[in-house]
Amino acid sequence: MKKIILFSLFFVISSCVSVKKYNAKSAIPVSAENLRKDVDFTQHKLEELHPKLYWYISKKDLDYQFDSLKMTIQKPLKPNEFYEKLAPVIAKIKEGHLRLYPYDKRLTKKEIKNLKNQKGLLSRYNFVIDRDRIFVKDNPAKIPNMNVGTEILKIKDIPVKDLLKKYKPIVNSDGDNTTFQKYSMARRWPSFFTAEYGILDSVKIETTYQNELKTFYIHREKISREEKKKTEQENKKLTKSETGKTKDYNIVTKSFNRDLQFPTKDSTIAYMKIKTFSGTFSRKFYKQSFAALKKSPAKYLILDVRDNLGGSLSEINNLYSYLVSEEFKFIDDMEVTSRTSMFHANYFTEIPTLAQPLAAVTYPVYLLGTALSVKKKDDKFYLKNNGIFALKKPKKNHFNGKIYVLINGSSFSASSIISSKLKDAKRAFLVGEETGGANDGTVAGRYSTEKLPHSKLKLPVGLMLVQPNIQFTETKKGVLPDYEIIPTLQQVLQKKDVQLEWIMDQIKKNEGNH
């Protein structure tokens, strides 16, 4: 017993030392020469692995960006100082999935445990960005002084407009799209702030609400045992719901990822909200939902993918088969850079630690399967048909009525792909705002996370060119709505859904004309 205690103590101490040693590196400047080597490494890896690197920027312009960056590096920089220089260059590639990650601070087990027992600081709110201003969009915990509509003027005595100006160059979208940035910034600015200033127990805030200026501190509060127990019981009850949404409840957002409702008394309108194409439990949801739609008198389906950042290609392929009545091909064959580029895909990092010994044994089989999955055509390399690219038949319970799709600048990746496909097939009428994801596809799928040799920054590079089987627009834009409605700041803060209201009014007018 004594040996076990001593071993455990040794393990804890060595773990703390390794964390301390790792974090200390973030304060050590890296020589200018080595930083320039990291720039070359980044450029080489992008050229080697990214299958559509010059989609939105020419090779000449990108080469110029990297060369110019190297010329500015004339003195040693700390890893995150270097990040602030390199990240904007990566953003100029205009590939929404492609982003550089700063040198992240590691936490000890004790720090992790303490954070789990505490409520968030800035993460407890949802925000909306209006140009260079930040407003509180939601305050579910009803924390004092942070009412919906409160404008944040300063944080830690730093003007908000200065923070947003600093973060803006590293927030990008697909191509020439401009709608995604404000949504992305609203989600990401707290993490940028935390990366810069660390995990704080409290922070000074200056706000204005209804013409009243206030300066106060928000604190990272502890979660009481009673609160923790109550939350666990509520989540347990919801995740075991027998309502057809079984296990689809998201305990982080405290809502269901997918939901089907009939908002009118006569049930002629169905409303399906999908917050994320996570893939998890989706087949059961769609099977049950479209069986229910088949039995219902629903003539209209409103598919809401606003604020849906994407996810599983398999899920959107399956969903599409419930929305059409003819055989279809959903995704074009995916282009990769070479026969061996998929060898670089993250493998062990995606496998739980306990399963990694088994993964090591099966790794040669994985490499062989990967090599056999690539074909060459017209001097380009593609992944062979794996079921996603094949011709598909519509589902038996497919919906035959009129479909409206709600989109906005935060509809990204898989959300843009299914919206693009539905629009191209003239199967749906799109309402809202240009999507944040490109109309003609994206580079994503699997990733190779490259660690820069000297600064140790991480750069996940998408390995697959994913494009819907459509007539490409070649506009370098997102999916454009058939009818554009952009909510005002006041409408957003007042939770006034003008886009959904417009659809409901159109259906009402349509029904009145029959």
Side-chain angles (χ1 to χ4, degrees), residues 283-333:
R283 289 191 172 275
K284 181 177 181 180
F285 173 80
Y286 296 127
K287 185 176 181 181
Q288 292 177 341
S289 295
F290 284 94
L293 276 169
K294 198 76 172 179
K295 293 176 183 178
S296 77
K299 295 189 288 183
Y300 303 92
L301 171 62
I302 302 170
L303 181 64
D304 190 346
V305 293
R306 291 173 297 180
D307 301 314
N308 184 323
L309 294 173
S312 167
L313 286 176
S314 178
E315 177 173 342
I316 57 173
N317 190 13
N318 183 46
L319 170 58
Y320 189 81
S321 67
Y322 283 103
L323 303 175
V324 293
S325 57
E326 297 177 352
E327 193 175 54
F328 65 93
K329 183 179 181 182
F330 190 67
I331 296 286
D332 284 342
D333 289 355

Side-chain angles (χ1 to χ4, degrees), residues 353-396:
T353 305
L354 292 175
Q356 286 192 3
L358 178 61
V361 175
T362 59
Y363 188 57
V365 178
Y366 161 78
L367 290 177
L368 178 62
T370 300
L372 295 174
S373 71
V374 178
K375 63 180 179 182
K376 188 174 183 180
K377 182 182 177 183
D378 300 328
D379 291 325
K380 291 185 177 181
F381 296 93
Y382 299 88
L383 294 180
K384 291 181 182 177
N385 192 320
N386 67 354
I388 295 177
F389 322 127
L391 283 172
K392 293 277 187 180
K393 292 183 179 179
K395 287 288 196 293
K396 181 181 177 182

Side-chain angles (χ1 to χ4, degrees), residues 9-71:
L9 185 62
F10 171 78
F11 179 79
V12 170
I13 292 171
S14 61
S15 177
C16 291
V17 170
S18 64
V19 168
K20 189 176 180 180
K21 188 177 179 181
Y22 175 89
N23 291 336
K25 290 180 181 178
S26 66
I28 301 172
V30 181
S31 72
E33 182 184 357
N34 283 338
L35 292 176
R36 288 193 289 269
K37 287 180 180 178
D38 273 4
V39 174
D40 288 335
F41 174 87
T42 300
Q43 186 174 8
H44 170 71
K45 285 299 178 182
L46 287 169
E47 291 170 345
E48 179 187 14
L49 301 173
H50 196 289
K52 198 77 169 175
L53 185 58
Y54 308 114
W55 199 348
Y56 304 118
I57 186 171
S58 68
K59 184 179 188 309
K60 179 182 176 182
D61 287 344
L62 186 56
D63 288 348
Y64 173 79
Q65 291 294 332
F66 281 120
D67 290 340
S68 297
L69 172 60
K70 285 190 290 185
M71 288 178 66

Side-chain angles (χ1 to χ4, degrees), residues 59-194:
K59 184 179 188 309
K60 179 182 176 182
D61 287 344
L62 186 56
D63 288 348
Y64 173 79
Q65 291 294 332
F66 281 120
D67 290 340
S68 297
L69 172 60
K70 285 190 290 185
M71 288 178 66
T72 68
I73 301 172
Q74 299 297 328
K75 64 178 183 178
L77 298 172
K78 296 175 184 177
N80 282 349
E81 291 174 335
F82 175 58
Y83 164 82
E84 291 176 7
K85 285 181 169 288
L86 180 57
V89 175
I90 300 298
K92 284 184 172 66
I93 296 169
K94 296 184 179 181
E95 174 58 58
H97 288 87
L98 184 66
R99 66 177 70 158
L100 185 69
Y101 285 83
Y103 194 95
D104 58 324
K105 180 186 176 184
R106 283 184 185 170
L107 302 176
T108 62
K109 288 187 176 181
K110 184 179 180 181
E111 288 173 326
I112 293 170
K113 185 178 179 181
N114 287 338
L115 281 176
K116 283 182 178 179
N117 292 320
Q118 293 176 351
K119 299 173 185 177
L121 197 62
L122 294 169
S123 62
R124 297 173 72 184
Y125 315 94
N126 290 321
F127 302 97
V128 59
I129 301 288
D130 184 48
R131 291 183 286 274
D132 60 353
R133 302 165 74 188
I134 298 176
F135 295 85
V136 176
K137 182 182 178 183
D138 291 301
N139 178 9
K142 293 182 170 58
I143 299 163
N145 299 316
M146 295 291 274
N147 299 305
V148 171
T150 296
E151 181 179 0
I152 300 176
L153 303 175
K154 292 182 180 180
I155 303 175
K156 218 173 184 286
D157 291 324
I158 306 165
V160 155
K161 64 179 181 179
D162 292 345
L163 289 172
L164 295 183
K165 185 179 180 181
K166 185 176 184 179
Y167 303 148
K168 186 178 179 180
I170 57 178
V171 176
N172 64 327
S173 62
D174 283 349
D176 295 335
N177 164 278
T178 57
T179 60
F180 183 66
Q181 283 87 335
K182 64 180 180 181
Y183 294 97
S184 183
M185 184 69 83
R187 284 188 300 271
R188 295 174 63 192
W189 77 263
S191 63
F192 292 147
F193 182 83
T194 301

